[in-house]
Amino acid sequence: MLGACVNTMPTSNWILVDDFEQPELTDWQIVDTQNDTKPFVANPQVTVIKTANNNRYLLKKPAADGVVGNRKALTFKALPEAVAVGDTYTFYTRILVESFPNNHAFGISNLTPDEIIKQAYNAFEPTLRVTDKAESNGFKNDGTLMVKIDSDDKYRQYSNVQNYDLNRSATPLQTNIWYQIWYVVNNAPVAAGGQTYDVYLQGGEFAKQTLVFKNAAFRMKREQPLIYFFANSNTGPHKKPYGNGGLAYDDIYMSRGLELSTPSTP
């Protein structure tokens, strides 16, 4: 079975990373490590708590509309517990695309803050990507949720998630719709079949929780404990900007093992 129904009963297995219900953002590090804005804008990244329908959530943009040149807008927070080498954990995140065009990535890192700042995109291990940018070879992404794969083609390092029942790529993410994502992260060594993750999605074309990718690849495969939730976004270069469309995050949780219930949220 490729699909699975969501169990909406509350569960104590979920551990809160952040639900952004506090009025101000705390315990997150916000760093712009390649700020090439012209004219120069100090701290161009937009990462703020917003409120809609009595719910608070995080909105992240690489810069305000019209500002170009912030190439690495990093935002990260320590996990409440580390995912040891050999362990499997499920991460749950809700996302909403505020607008396209954009270029966002988020996932889990096994690096310290200093190393995340230094490595940027290479700080990721399990990675999810939202973008409609054109790659350097001209290939145009279409805004479908993407995962990291192993590939010898430097321009095709990601794959769209799939609608396996229809034997095709999933359709692009719609704007202003909350999607639920479960990503089951296997932090075992490569030799033991690990450094991979499976992704389940609900929202848009998937009315029920559905397996949309199996055995996506960790980006670097360092085989170290996973310790940070990490998000990155990028306006693109001045000559060919990607756009500053925002991505909203809410209800970030983690749970030991395979856990496909929905966290109990306020």
Side-chain angles (χ1 to χ4, degrees):
M1 293 291 292
L2 292 174
C5 293
V6 175
N7 174 8
T8 57
M9 294 296 290
T11 174
S12 61
N13 294 332
W14 289 109
I15 303 167
L16 179 66
V17 178
D18 209 326
D19 59 7
F20 308 105
E21 287 303 314
Q22 67 277 11
E24 297 182 359
L25 193 62
T26 58
D27 301 323
W28 288 82
Q29 298 191 51
I30 300 172
V31 186
D32 298 314
T33 61
Q34 190 179 344
N35 181 359
D36 298 331
T37 54
K38 298 176 184 177
F40 182 78
V41 177
N43 307 313
Q45 177 179 169
V46 177
T47 301
V48 295
I49 292 179
K50 305 278 286 186
T51 302
N53 300 319
N54 297 316
N55 175 60
R56 290 191 174 103
Y57 60 90
L58 182 73
L59 176 66
K60 179 176 172 65
K61 302 171 66 169
D65 293 343
V67 176
V68 177
N70 192 22
R71 303 303 307 280
K72 293 182 176 69
L74 282 54
T75 310
F76 49 94
K77 180 180 181 178
L79 298 176
E81 64 182 47
V83 179
V85 175
D87 283 353
T88 293
Y89 271 69
T90 303
F91 288 85
Y92 173 91
T93 306
R94 294 199 307 135
I95 65 167
L96 176 148
V97 179
E98 183 188 51
S99 64
F100 289 105
N102 66 37
N103 184 34
H104 291 267
F106 64 96
I108 311 299
S109 178
N110 46 24
L111 298 185
T112 64
D114 287 347
E115 292 169 325
I116 290 173
I117 290 169
K118 180 179 179 181
Q119 296 293 331
Y121 283 102
N122 284 342
F124 282 116
E125 290 292 7
T127 315
L128 293 155
R129 188 188 192 198
V130 178
T131 189
D132 58 342
K133 72 178 284 287
E135 305 294 354
S136 299
N137 67 341
F139 175 81
K140 182 72 163 58
N141 296 293
D142 64 5
T144 300
L145 183 68
M146 305 175 83
V147 298
K148 183 72 178 66
I149 59 171
D150 289 330
S151 172
D152 293 331
D153 184 345
K154 68 177 182 178
Y155 298 112
R156 300 300 298 272
Q157 291 294 307
Y158 296 88
S159 170
N160 288 355
V161 298
Q162 300 294 302
N163 187 321
Y164 288 119
D165 287 343
L166 298 180
N167 194 31
R168 61 161 172 78
S169 166
T171 56
L173 296 171
Q174 300 173 48
T175 58
N176 299 308
I177 291 178
W178 283 105
Y179 290 82
Q180 299 180 79
I181 306 172
W182 295 256
Y183 36 121
V184 184
V185 173
N186 180 356
N187 199 33
V190 172
Q195 307 296 286
T196 63
Y197 57 109
D198 300 338
V199 180
Y200 296 77
L201 183 63
Q202 184 174 354
E205 69 184 290
F206 300 107
K208 297 180 179 180
Q209 179 195 73
T210 304
L211 177 66
V212 294
F213 209 89
K214 181 74 172 177
N215 289 325
F218 279 25
R219 185 180 180 105
M220 305 304 292
K221 302 180 183 65
R222 296 184 182 91
E223 300 182 357
Q224 297 176 183
L226 299 166
I227 55 176
Y228 272 85
F229 180 90
F230 173 39
N232 196 356
S233 56
N234 188 336
T235 65
H238 286 273
K239 292 183 178 179
K240 293 183 178 181
Y242 307 147
N244 292 348
L247 186 66
Y249 298 87
D250 202 1
D251 300 326
I252 304 171
Y253 285 81
M254 62 187 294
S255 176
R256 179 181 291 274
L258 175 64
E259 179 57 80
L260 297 181
S261 67
T262 300
S264 177
T265 58

